[in-house]
Amino acid sequence: MATSSRTWFYSTPEARPYYIEERVNHTLWKNRLQTLFMRCVQVSDPVRMEGNQGGSRVVFEWQPGAWFRLRMQQESRELIGVMRQILMLRPTLSYDDPQGMHVVEWHCDGGEGRWREIQGDPHFQGLRLLRAG
């Protein structure tokens, strides 16, 4: 099955966990992330998947065509770079969340609203704007 982010991020995937898992995992594996397997735990907006890479927890959350959030127990530049290629979009912002996870977000609208929403909130540490506008 030929899959890409067009089949699950840029269009709304069917609300069936298996189909979402199949599309996302094939996209990951096709893009050199053969050791990462994601399991769909929520099919409604936002879609949520959980997985493990090298013993570290990984979480994907997204609203199709709008934003994508990658949460990692440990920052992985390789995973961030591959997700940038898969999404065909530069990351917008990064931070550490209250659960101690490193988070990177991609926003199709530039992310200004999200930046304003979390800027100055003490729950989000190390907030960095990665891309202006």
Side-chain angles (χ1 to χ4, degrees):
M1 170 183 232
T3 63
S4 70
S5 57
R6 289 184 180 119
T7 64
W8 53 268
F9 177 68
Y10 290 102
S11 61
T12 303
E14 289 183 56
R16 296 182 67 184
Y18 174 78
Y19 290 158
I20 295 170
E21 289 172 5
E22 183 178 48
R23 289 182 180 118
V24 171
N25 285 317
H26 280 261
T27 303
L28 295 172
W29 301 336
K30 183 176 76 173
N31 285 277
R32 305 177 319 276
L33 290 173
Q34 291 88 3
T35 62
L36 179 58
F37 176 82
M38 300 298 290
R39 185 174 57 86
C40 185
V41 297
Q42 180 173 310
V43 297
S44 58
D45 286 346
V47 177
R48 182 179 169 96
M49 298 185 80
E50 297 178 355
N52 186 297
Q53 183 181 38
S56 293
R57 183 170 180 233
V58 176
V59 177
F60 293 169
E61 295 173 303
W62 74 91
Q63 181 176 351
W67 57 265
F68 183 90
R69 184 175 299 133
L70 166 62
R71 298 177 68 227
M72 304 166 279
Q73 189 174 342
Q74 295 180 343
E75 181 178 5
S76 168
R77 293 186 185 272
E78 176 191 12
L79 181 53
I80 296 166
V82 172
M83 291 311 300
R84 175 184 174 174
Q85 290 176 331
I86 288 172
L87 297 172
M88 300 174 286
L89 189 65
R90 291 185 55 181
T92 307
L93 51 99
S94 70
Y95 55 89
D96 295 324
D97 72 10
Q99 292 77 36
M101 302 279 279
H102 182 72
V103 181
V104 179
E105 295 187 11
W106 286 258
H107 291 267
C108 293
D109 67 359
E112 292 84 8
R114 176 68 171 160
W115 175 257
R116 284 190 303 273
E117 176 185 331
I118 64 176
Q119 190 177 27
D121 185 330
H123 294 102
F124 302 97
Q125 297 294 312
L127 184 61
R128 290 185 357 203
L129 184 61
L130 303 174
R131 175 184 115 155

